[in-house]
Amino acid sequence: MTKQPRTLYQKIWDAHVVDTRDDGTCLIYIDRHIVHEVTSPQAFEALRVSGRKVRRPDLHIAVPDHNVPTTARRDANGKRIPIADPQSAQQLDMLERNAPEFGIRYIGDADREQGIVHVIGPEQGFSLPGATIVCGDSHTACNGGLGALAFGIGTSEVEHVMATQTLLLKQSKTFQVNVEGTLGAGVSPKDVILHIIGVIGTAGGTGYVIEYTGNVFREMSIEGRLTVCNMSIEGGARAGLVAPDETTFAYVKGRPYAPVGADWDKAVAWWQSLASDPGATYDKSVHIRAEDIQPTVTWGTSPEDTAPIGGVVPAPEDFADASKRDAVKHSLDYMGLTPGTRLTDIAVENVFIGSCTNSRIEDIRAAAAILKGRKKAPGVKWAIVVPGSGLVKEQAEAEGLDKIIIEAGLEWREPGCSACLAMNPDKVPSGERCASTSNRNFTGRQGPGARTHLVSPAMAAAAAVTGHLTDVRTLSENS
Amino acid sequence: MTPISQVSGKAYPFGRKNVDTDVIIPAHWLKTVTRDGLGKGCLESVKKEPGNVFTDPAFAGAPILIAGDNFGCGSSREHAAWALLDMGVTCVIAPSFSDIFSGNAFKNGILTVALPQDAIDRLLEVAKTDPISIDLEHQTVTTPFQDRFLFEIDPFRKHCLLNGLDEVGLTLAQDATISAYEARTGETMPFLAHPTRHTA
Ligand code: SF4
């Protein structure tokens, strides 16, 4: 029997089918679940009320990230500093009690391995290629950078996974996003994904799982692939992945939870078989030339509102679709922008470098390379760099990056989600702008009335030193 | 989950259209850590309106809510269903519901009954003074005055509600199948099946 060529997604799916129903719905096994403090309390409560257990506690890790302040967690004597906001403190307390009660490893807020859910999964080697990975946060797709099938779930599903280690799912269609060619200098993975979302739109991937293919992704570091897959959801797709390869194996090897010995060899052999077969077909495809991608920024309140940094703020009339024209009018109003304004003329008062999209070591390095020997512009009131995890923080400090950042006049913080969603005290004041490396520029996302411009870490650093959106290619790296 | 076969008793004769999830449970209630207590925030703004049915002692503790078109529209927050349940409502009758809300209601053991507007109008009238009965087995809504309305329900949902089966419970009934999968992959994919922390 000749086998039908299959895609990466299809292969991972097939390996995880526990049961198939008549209507095509499948019971899919979930290999890893990462739990945070916001979407889990009610799920734990439901388990307790119904007298149910967590079926496989060893497949879960719990860590607080959404609510934690990014200021010092311990005082001079090493004592943990309590969290001021009572509701945030309560959500943390609940997780700290729930996780051990159900046998789940808990990484505390003052633990050196604490960090953002989607940063610590890959960093710990807990997230693995070919695995099914879920978390109660929509940017779980981030883990797809390792070649895992990863997606966000709601509270009921969190409970379902805890109790049964499975989810009832229907197969998605597949969407190939192919980028070939050579990326120009100063063009980062963040620019690649912002450009892609600009091309496909925020609904482009709805109902699909994206596979990113082409030499650009094959040549990209894992950190970069994680950045790209992270924002699959902004392109409408619940998940996005890059086929695992030698770069992936080198990244995973030696991490705390990475397989060892014979298990490692077995794993690599399977991972090598996961790449889409030649002749495998996708339900749709888009092809993008790497040379067309410039350092990219957003000007509106939808992640698809992107433009190359050399461009101008568009006018509503530039759009053919009537409802989009309306949305653009609204966006520009909220953003306080006039059509025709050069993007590089937009002044920013705030800079946020962090979030699960861009808070890994490469991101901190990219920002530091621009900040080195420069100073924060006087117009920039608040500029923070928030590492994605305690381990990223240690690594950055070992490389002296924290000193460069502090010398440039930016703040070097403790890990967490921070100003990505402003659930903790890190907020952008109403009416002010922020050059942000996060993933969502929605109305009010970084605080009520906050105006977000999504950018890469290097571009955020460039904005910090010039005081306005800046083409990073006009600044040299001071090494 | 508590099985539902009959719901009988007082009904809130609310009748309003397009009641969205922000009205059912305002956003400032979302930082909570339990499902309990959300009943207090349920329909908070409506409860402040003079003459509303929710603070009228005549309807206190009613298990049924009668509403207008498109009940539960807006966001996907599951808190909306939790809040109603915490307020004691186990059945909502309306001409139509948002898909997401009826899914969330079902997952939490709330029966949603869709009936034509004229039936709703009649029930709103009766509920002012008299109780209403819903019989899930026979798919009927009746009043003490010989009114009898038939309603449709997805057979799978009916089965689950009648037997108090939630999705978790249903999947747990397949425990043997899941265990068989785990036994299989423990052999073929040990690296996925058994994460072990090797280094600190
Ligand atoms: S950094 Fe933002 S997107 Fe990422 S997990 Fe935290 S809140 Fe979600």
Side-chain angles (χ1 to χ4, degrees):
Chain A
M1 198 180 84
T2 51
K3 274 204 182 154
Q4 276 275 351
R6 292 182 299 165
T7 60
L8 166 63
Y9 169 68
Q10 185 77 51
K11 290 181 191 183
I12 299 178
W13 177 275
D14 289 349
H16 289 86
V17 175
V18 174
D19 189 34
T20 309
R21 307 249 159 115
D22 294 340
D23 66 350
T25 309
C26 290
L27 195 62
I28 293 294
Y29 198 80
I30 303 301
D31 297 315
R32 301 287 184 271
H33 177 207
I34 308 178
V35 186
H36 64 84
E37 78 278 20
V38 179
T39 47
S40 65
Q42 286 93 350
F44 280 117
E45 186 203 8
L47 291 180
R48 204 175 286 121
V49 166
S50 53
R52 287 169 180 151
K53 294 183 307 192
V54 172
R55 181 186 177 88
R56 286 287 307 274
D58 58 327
L59 302 182
H60 306 244
I61 283 184
V63 66
D65 59 356
H66 282 57
N67 269 306
V68 295
T70 53
T71 44
R73 307 262 161 83
R74 291 184 189 277
D75 64 18
N77 303 317
K79 242 191 97 209
R80 185 179 155 198
I81 301 171
I83 292 176
D85 178 69
Q87 283 182 314
S88 295
Q90 192 192 19
Q91 286 196 329
L92 254 70
D93 284 351
M94 294 295 289
L95 190 60
E96 188 169 355
R97 274 186 283 138
N98 282 329
E101 181 185 331
F102 287 90
I104 294 173
R105 179 179 170 212
Y106 175 70
I107 303 178
D109 63 319
D111 192 308
R112 66 180 274 266
E113 288 173 287
Q114 182 267 344
I116 305 173
V117 275
H118 315 311
V119 173
I120 69 158
E123 179 177 87
Q124 292 281 326
F126 192 66
S127 303
L128 291 176
T132 46
I133 303 171
V134 297
C135 170
D137 178 282
S138 52
H139 291 91
T140 309
C142 190
N143 294 281
L146 293 171
L149 177 58
F151 49 89
I153 55 175
T155 301
S156 278
E157 291 168 305
V158 167
E159 179 195 346
H160 197 276
V161 170
M162 286 175 168
T164 71
Q165 208 56 47
T166 64
L167 281 176
L168 273 170
L169 296 169
K170 281 211 164 80
Q171 232 184 98
S172 302
K173 290 179 283 183
T174 51
F175 183 4
Q176 178 195 28
V177 174
N178 187 62
V179 186
E180 301 268 0
T182 311
L183 291 175
V187 179
S188 76
K190 181 65 166 285
D191 301 303
V192 173
I193 187 62
L194 285 173
H195 181 89
I196 290 170
I197 295 163
V199 171
I200 68 174
T202 49
T206 306
Y208 293 85
V209 162
I210 295 176
E211 182 181 339
Y212 300 95
T213 64
N215 73 299
V216 165
F217 303 109
R218 282 200 304 278
E219 290 157 17
M220 202 178 266
S221 68
I222 295 303
E223 282 85 351
R225 296 179 194 179
L226 294 168
T227 298
V228 169
C229 291
N230 181 279
M231 290 189 71
S232 301
I233 187 87
E234 274 65 48
R238 203 173 175 191
L241 17 60
V242 177
D245 57 13
E246 293 303 323
T247 310
T248 321
F249 311 149
Y251 174 91
V252 173
K253 197 168 178 141
R255 294 192 177 265
Y257 283 92
V260 295
D263 273 3
W264 172 260
D265 299 336
K266 210 167 185 170
V268 170
W270 184 59
W271 294 340
Q272 280 168 333
S273 74
L274 288 177
S276 293
D277 296 325
T281 52
Y282 300 88
D283 294 295
K284 70 174 178 182
S285 294
V286 60
H287 296 269
I288 291 169
R289 273 168 26 99
E291 292 75 10
D292 292 343
I293 307 176
Q294 308 286 318
T296 302
V297 302
T298 63
W299 46 264
T301 54
S302 164
E304 69 183 19
D305 297 341
T306 64
I309 184 66
V312 298
V313 175
E317 303 79 59
D318 299 346
F319 297 84
D321 181 71
S323 67
K324 181 69 192 171
R325 273 204 297 276
D326 243 32
V328 169
K329 247 177 83 184
H330 244 83
S331 269
L332 294 182
D333 212 41
Y334 178 83
M335 295 296 290
L337 291 173
T338 319
T341 308
R342 285 200 316 210
L343 293 170
T344 48
D345 287 343
I346 299 175
V348 300
E349 299 87 8
N350 305 275
V351 173
F352 171 58
I353 299 175
S355 91
C356 57
T357 315
N358 283 123
S359 62
R360 284 166 285 271
I361 190 66
E362 272 191 10
D363 303 313
I364 312 289
R365 284 184 193 136
I370 299 299
L371 295 173
K372 190 166 186 187
R374 294 195 170 91
K375 288 274 181 237
K376 177 167 76 74
V380 175
K381 296 192 271 187
W382 190 65
I384 60 170
V385 182
V386 184
S389 72
L391 297 183
V392 169
K393 183 163 187 267
E394 279 179 14
Q395 171 76 29
E397 288 174 359
E399 296 179 19
L401 305 179
D402 58 323
K403 291 204 182 61
I404 298 174
I405 290 163
I406 293 165
E407 257 159 44
L410 284 76
E411 294 175 50
W412 176 239
R413 296 289 190 99
E414 297 295 320
C417 295
S418 183
C420 171
L421 89 167
M423 204 168 170
N424 79 343
D426 305 337
K427 295 182 195 347
V428 175
S430 182
E432 291 189 10
R433 280 176 211 293
C434 182
S436 175
T437 65
S438 54
N439 43 50
R440 283 186 169 159
N441 53 349
F442 296 166
T443 303
R445 171 83 175 182
Q446 296 195 289
R451 295 164 169 169
T452 304
H453 295 276
L454 300 177
V455 291
S456 73
M459 292 278 282
V465 297
T466 62
H468 51 84
L469 296 179
T470 298
D471 188 339
V472 66
R473 295 169 298 190
T474 62
L475 301 177
S476 60
E477 283 188 17
N478 296 337
S479 48
Chain B
M1 234 161 45
T2 326
I4 296 189
S5 55
Q6 303 260 347
V7 184
S8 297
K10 291 180 226 169
Y12 294 109
F14 186 34
R16 191 171 297 175
K17 286 185 183 173
N18 296 318
V19 175
D20 64 42
T21 48
D22 274 304
V23 171
I24 300 174
I25 187 77
H28 65 94
W29 286 87
L30 305 188
K31 245 192 173 183
T32 56
V33 291
T34 63
R35 298 174 195 216
D36 301 333
L38 287 173
K40 253 174 75 188
C42 192
L43 297 157
E44 193 175 52
S45 58
V46 181
K47 285 175 181 163
K48 288 183 188 141
E49 298 170 8
N52 79 84
V53 295
F54 297 103
T55 51
D56 183 338
F59 305 107
I64 304 161
L65 192 159
I66 308 170
D69 244 339
N70 200 22
F71 186 81
C73 53
S75 85
S76 63
R77 65 182 68 147
E78 219 167 308
H79 300 68
W82 300 340
L84 285 166
L85 215 48
D86 191 55
M87 197 169 78
V89 171
T90 50
C91 176
V92 184
I93 308 176
S96 66
F97 297 88
S98 94
D99 275 353
I100 295 178
F101 175 79
S102 55
N104 283 338
F106 161 70
K107 277 185 193 158
N108 290 280
I110 297 176
L111 173 62
T112 53
V113 172
L115 287 176
Q117 188 64 49
D118 49 351
I120 298 290
D121 292 341
R122 169 69 186 150
L123 292 173
L124 284 169
E125 197 48 44
V126 172
K128 282 183 190 159
T129 49
D130 289 272
I132 282 175
S133 289
I134 297 105
D135 180 335
L136 177 56
E137 179 73 55
H138 299 100
Q139 299 178 213
T140 60
V141 179
T142 53
T143 71
F145 309 102
Q146 317 303 322
D147 298 289
R148 188 167 182 274
F149 304 107
L150 286 173
F151 64 89
E152 299 284 325
I153 184 168
D154 173 76
F156 173 73
R157 286 193 176 180
K158 178 177 175 179
H159 171 77
C160 292
L161 289 168
L162 279 175
N163 296 289
L165 299 173
D166 59 332
E167 277 179 24
V168 174
L170 280 174
T171 305
L172 282 175
Q174 282 188 280
D175 186 63
T177 319
I178 302 172
S179 295
Y181 174 91
E182 285 174 330
R184 214 163 54 233
T185 51
E187 293 288 320
T188 55
M189 302 192 291
F191 45 92
L192 287 186
H194 302 290
T196 315
R197 199 154 172 240
H198 299 284
T199 51

